[in-house]
Amino acid sequence: MTELASELAYMAEHPELFTKEELAGRLGEASKAISKARTLRRYPSKKKPAGSAL
């Protein structure tokens, strides 16, 4: 998640280097990661076993 955060920070500092589609795609990934983290925080029993598909 920290790698995603640093990539988003770089993209925010240099938006001219990326297409709108690239920016939207990374923001979409971040949104999904945040949603998943919130769910796992609220419902720790919903964690997937190691090696399972997400």
Side-chain angles (χ1 to χ4, degrees), residues 11-27:
M11 292 175 100
E13 291 174 6
H14 307 284
E16 69 280 358
L17 300 176
F18 305 95
T19 65
K20 288 180 182 180
E21 290 81 13
E22 289 172 318
L23 293 170
R26 295 307 280 170
L27 287 173

Side-chain angles (χ1 to χ4, degrees), residues 1-13 18 21-37 54:
M1 181 103 142
T2 56
E3 183 178 318
L4 179 58
S6 62
E7 288 181 28
L8 287 172
Y10 181 79
M11 292 175 100
E13 291 174 6
F18 305 95
E21 290 81 13
E22 289 172 318
L23 293 170
R26 295 307 280 170
L27 287 173
E29 288 178 38
S31 176
K32 288 179 186 176
I34 290 167
S35 178
K36 182 178 178 181
L54 298 176

Side-chain angles (χ1 to χ4, degrees), residues 34-53:
I34 290 167
S35 178
K36 182 178 178 181
R38 286 180 177 162
T39 299
L40 292 175
R41 188 173 183 181
R42 288 184 194 139
Y43 309 105
S45 62
K46 291 200 179 228
K47 288 184 181 176
K48 302 275 184 192
S52 68

